[in-house]
DNA sequence: GCTGTATGCAGAT
DNA sequence: TCTGCCTACAGCG
């Protein structure tokens, strides 16, 4: 379930649990050969930008760069000894904790220059307190592509994924297919501010919840529900199910080979 | 046991 | 716009 909030949360968890600790590093699966070079080193302060996670070590300039891709996962277990289950690309363990990385798109040791190259191609990250959203707005205003597509472009905004895209557009009543150049200043500002809020909540809770209290099923007099991806949302993966606000069936289609979900009434074009 | 699906992205066409 | 890729799991026969 890797959108940006997960990577920021993991960075905090790594730092909290093994920061300043000498760890064992290995690649049970064998596809991260450099893991051995890190064995016995002390972990530094892990950090994230967008969907990229970086783990530095004391005494070396290189950092581990992780990108989870579509289905990668980094699981944390508060046990120092654990049997290897499945394809574990990288295992980082202390006497009290085990981090197992499975199925990442990237797991590699990068030089500072290579790390900078990654940062250079990322747009502002709503979870970065120093992020400046202006370049993101400027780039969207220059594009004819639909705003739904632009929101997933990591060069424009780093960290939002398919769930946050669908939900933030719903929460602001925005038609996903408005071209970037028609994106209104106020609407963009509201979307950015909402991403900051929603993603911070995501880091805190480890799940994506976007439904406002007044629209929760209990408040609307409907039976409670739980979306199967961990949080509670308005439209993501709810195709043909009733909109939580107006009960119109949620619409879905494919845009640049990613599924988009929206309510055709609540997000009606102007 | 097989198939389809997934919160992503790069590289080829 | 398409294909491939990393892995786990649900649903199906």
């Amino acid at each position: 379930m890797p959108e940006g909030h997960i990577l920021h949360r993991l960075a905090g968890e790594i730092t909290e649990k093994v920061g300043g600790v000498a760890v064992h590093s290995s690649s049970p699966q064998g596809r991260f050969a450099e893991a051995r070079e890190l064995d016995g080193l002390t972990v530094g302060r892990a950090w994230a930008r967008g969907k990229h996670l970086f783990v530095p070590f004391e005494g070396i300039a290189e950092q581990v760069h992780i990108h989870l891709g579509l289905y990668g996962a980094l699981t944390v277990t508060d046990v120092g000894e654990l049997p290897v289950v499945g394809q574990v690309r990288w295992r980082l363990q202390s006497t009290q904790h085990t981090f197992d990385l499975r199925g990442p798109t990237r797991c590699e040791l990068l030089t500072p220059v290579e790390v900078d190259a990654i940062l250079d191609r990322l747009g502002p990250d709503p979870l970065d307190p120093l992020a400046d959203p202006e370049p993101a707005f400027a780039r969207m205003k220059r594009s004819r592509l639909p705003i739904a597509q632009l929101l997933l472009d990591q060069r424009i905004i780093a960290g939002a994924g398919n769930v946050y895209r669908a939900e933030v557009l719903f929460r602001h009543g925005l038609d996903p297919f408005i071209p970037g150049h028609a994106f209104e200043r106020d609407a963009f500002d509201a979307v950015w501010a909402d991403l900051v809020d929603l993603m911070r909540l995501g880091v805190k809770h480890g799940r994506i919840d976007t439904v406002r209290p007044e629209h929760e099923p209990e408040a609307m007099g409907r039976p409670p529900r739980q979306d199967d991806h961990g949080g509670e949302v308005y439209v993501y993966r709810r195709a043909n199910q009733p909109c939580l606000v107006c009960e119109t069936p949620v619409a879905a289609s494919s845009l640049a080979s990613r599924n988009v979900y929206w309510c055709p009434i609540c997000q009606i074009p102007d």
Side-chain angles (χ1 to χ4, degrees), chain A residues 102-116:
Chain A
R102 295 182 179 82
T105 277
R106 294 278 186 189
C107 175
E108 56 196 355
L109 197 55
L110 295 188
T111 65
V113 169
E114 291 169 322
V115 170
D116 283 346

Side-chain angles (χ1 to χ4, degrees), chain A residues 15-69:
Chain A
T15 301
E16 177 195 326
K17 296 190 168 170
V18 293
V21 174
V23 290
H24 281 300
S25 166
S26 61
S27 179
Q29 176 208 47
R31 291 188 48 192
F32 180 40
E34 293 105 321
R36 285 187 69 88
E37 299 173 25
L38 306 169
D39 192 40
L41 296 185
T42 297
V43 178
R45 172 173 285 269
W47 57 286
R49 181 69 59 82
K51 297 168 188 164
H52 300 256
L53 172 63
F54 299 91
V55 185
F57 289 82
E58 291 181 10
I60 62 169
E62 291 84 2
Q63 304 189 39
V64 174
H65 167 231
I66 291 169
H67 194 293
L68 295 176

Side-chain angles (χ1 to χ4, degrees), chain A residues 77-93:
Chain A
T77 311
D78 292 335
V79 173
E81 284 297 330
L82 200 63
V84 173
V85 176
Q87 300 287 306
V88 177
R89 182 82 57 89
W90 186 32
R91 168 170 282 191
L92 196 61
Q93 65 189 138

Side-chain angles (χ1 to χ4, degrees), chain A residues 16 23 48 56 112 132 144 209 230 236 250:
Chain A
E16 177 195 326
V23 290
D132 173 13
R144 293 173 302 152
D209 293 293
Y236 175 72
V250 170

